[in-house]
């Protein structure tokens, strides 16, 4: 007990107010400093399992944590400027730190040195079905294929059977020619990075809302550490990291038309231009997400409180 004086609570989805209050009481009794980490502000659609009353209870619990209990703890690490402003306005001690990686770790070296000539432009989606506008992404892929562009969309972590949750998406995928959509599913951890590294672009498309501005997609750090640029619109603090034509291709608005035009820009890039986007993404990963860049700031924050 005498070997440490601070607890940083990284509470994942499902952690309750009751647990957080017990942890706070324990820290007060032991004279330990408690810092809570806040990485998202969930929306109703995030609670997709169980019955309606369970959804409502989960939402109420999460809102109480964010709006009341965290403010009582008064020491907060946040992942976005949206949350930083929220807790600053409440008079809390706050530090903003994005998702972190070890940019020097050997695992990132799995990216191909040269990807070689490819006929298709490959876009990779990895993430939750309930967050991104997959309806628009799939529709844009189908539209651009009908115009004769050879573009494929791969899904990592998602399985085709999950499309049953959305009959309209399922119909679109089933009507597509073979090879347009590839589902890798949930693969062994050693295969995740090689599959990601083989893509030409990662793809994100999210509505601008409280939940999307409060979070910060950790997959951005992973894509960049592998030298894979993003094709996406800008939510949260993505504009602090991504620059159109430098380390990403930015979709100007959340629409099929805007996404199609941006994909066409990606198709038109030369190999040299794509490689430059990848190299700039690698540099951005080291600059914005390597944990070494935040050691001093975090130490100063902990000492100050």
């Amino acid at each position: 007990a005498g070997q440490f004086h601070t607890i940083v609570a990284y509470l994942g989805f499902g952690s309750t107010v009751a647990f957080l209050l017990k942890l706070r009481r324990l820290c007060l009794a032991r004279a330990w400093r408690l810092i809570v980490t806040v990485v998202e502000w969930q929306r109703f659609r995030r609670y997709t399992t169980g019955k309606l009353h369970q959804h409502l209870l989960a939402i109420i619990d999460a809102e109480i944590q964010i709006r009341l209990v965290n403010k009582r703890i008064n020491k907060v690490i946040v992942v976005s400027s949206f949350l930083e402003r929220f807790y600053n306005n409440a008079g809390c001690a706050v530090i903003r730190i994005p998702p972190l990686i070890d940019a020097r770790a050997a695992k990132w070296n799995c990216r191909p040195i040269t990807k070689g000539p490819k006929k298709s432009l490959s876009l990779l989606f990895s993430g939750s079905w309930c967050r991104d506008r997959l309806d628009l992404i799939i529709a844009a892929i189908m539209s651009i294929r009908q115009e004769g562009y050879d573009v494929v969309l791969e899904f990592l972590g998602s399985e085709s059977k999950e499309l049953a949750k959305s009959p309209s998406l399922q119909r679109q995928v089933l009507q597509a020619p073979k090879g347009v959509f590839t589902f890798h599913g949930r693969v062994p951890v050693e295969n995740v990075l090689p599959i990601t590294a083989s893509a030409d672009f990662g793809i994100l498309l999210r509505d601008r809302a409280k939940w999307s501005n409060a979070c910060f997609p950790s997959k951005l750090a992973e894509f960049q550490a592998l030298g894979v640029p993003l094709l996406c619109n800008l939510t949260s603090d993505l504009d602090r990291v991504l620059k159109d034509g430098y380390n990403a291709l930015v979709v100007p608005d959340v629409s099929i038309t805007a996404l199609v035009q941006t994909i066409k820009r990606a198709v038109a890039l030369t190999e040299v231009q794509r490689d430059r986007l990848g190299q700039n993404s690698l540099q951005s990963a080291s600059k914005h997400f390597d944990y070494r860049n935040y050691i001093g700031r975090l130490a100063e924050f902990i000492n100050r409180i």
Side-chain angles (χ1 to χ4, degrees):
Q3 295 179 354
F4 62 89
H5 52 71
T6 302
I7 290 180
V8 179
Y10 190 98
L11 302 176
F13 173 68
S15 300
T16 63
V17 166
F19 171 79
L20 189 55
L21 290 176
K22 286 181 180 179
L23 180 61
R24 181 174 181 266
R25 286 195 295 269
L26 174 65
C27 291
L28 289 173
R30 301 292 179 87
W32 297 336
R33 286 176 294 190
L34 175 60
I35 304 172
V36 64
T37 301
V38 186
V39 298
E40 57 190 348
W41 196 323
Q42 295 289 0
R43 57 178 177 167
F44 182 80
R45 285 182 60 192
R46 173 63 177 83
Y47 305 93
T48 56
T49 59
K51 299 180 180 179
L52 178 59
H53 75 277
Q54 294 173 321
H55 297 181
L56 294 175
L57 287 174
I59 291 171
I60 293 170
D61 194 285
E63 290 289 318
I64 292 173
Q65 286 186 52
I66 289 175
R67 295 181 181 274
L68 298 177
V69 180
N70 291 344
K71 292 179 181 179
R72 290 181 65 185
I73 292 172
N74 198 41
K75 304 170 186 67
V76 190
I77 298 174
V78 298
V79 76
S80 65
S81 58
F82 180 95
L83 290 170
E84 184 179 28
R85 289 190 299 271
F86 179 78
Y87 286 109
N88 265 328
N89 291 338
C92 297
V94 188
I95 182 172
R96 177 174 53 84
I97 298 179
L100 301 181
I101 60 169
D102 180 356
R104 302 178 190 173
K107 66 180 182 179
W108 306 116
N109 294 330
C110 70
R111 68 185 182 87
I113 297 175
T114 57
K115 295 184 179 180
K118 293 197 309 182
K119 181 181 178 182
S120 302
L121 178 81
S122 61
L123 307 177
L124 180 69
F125 175 85
S126 66
S128 171
W129 289 81
C130 66
R131 293 196 170 204
D132 287 75
R133 291 298 306 271
L134 277 179
D135 56 336
L136 302 185
I137 293 174
I138 290 175
I141 296 297
M142 294 296 291
S143 174
I144 203 167
R145 292 281 302 201
Q146 291 172 359
E147 293 186 45
Y149 292 89
D150 194 358
V151 178
V152 298
L153 177 62
E154 302 181 42
F155 295 87
L156 181 59
S158 302
E159 299 178 359
S160 57
K161 63 182 181 182
E162 295 179 41
L163 285 173
K165 299 175 183 177
S166 175
S168 60
L169 290 182
Q170 191 173 44
R171 283 194 299 272
Q172 286 180 299
V173 171
L174 291 176
Q175 293 170 0
K178 184 177 180 180
V180 176
F181 302 108
T182 299
F183 292 86
H184 294 285
R186 292 169 176 81
V187 302
V189 65
E190 62 269 18
N191 294 340
V192 171
L193 296 185
I195 291 174
T196 304
S198 66
D200 292 310
F201 288 88
I203 187 167
L204 290 172
L205 193 69
R206 295 180 171 181
D207 290 319
R208 182 171 286 277
K210 181 175 67 177
W211 71 268
S212 60
N213 287 329
C215 71
F216 190 101
S218 59
K219 67 189 74 177
L220 170 57
E222 297 163 2
F223 275 121
Q224 289 200 327
L226 292 166
V228 178
L230 269 187
L231 192 153
C232 65
N233 66 315
L234 300 179
T235 57
S236 185
D237 295 321
L238 293 186
D239 58 347
R240 295 173 180 259
V241 179
L242 300 179
K243 182 179 178 182
D244 185 52
Y246 176 75
N247 58 4
L249 293 183
V250 174
V251 184
D253 60 74
V254 183
S255 69
I256 296 174
T257 300
L259 184 53
V260 166
Q261 292 302 319
T262 308
I263 295 173
K264 288 180 179 180
R265 289 179 57 201
V267 172
L269 294 173
T270 65
E271 285 296 322
V272 171
Q273 291 171 323
R274 288 190 198 175
D275 288 343
R276 188 178 298 120
L277 284 173
Q279 289 301 317
N280 292 339
S281 294
L282 283 172
Q283 294 175 14
S284 293
S286 296
K287 177 181 178 181
H288 294 285
F289 303 115
D290 188 82
Y291 76 91
R292 296 169 184 85
N293 299 328
Y294 297 89
I295 292 175
R297 288 177 53 196
L298 184 57
E300 181 183 352
F301 174 74
I302 292 175
N303 291 330
R304 187 172 70 247
I305 65 176

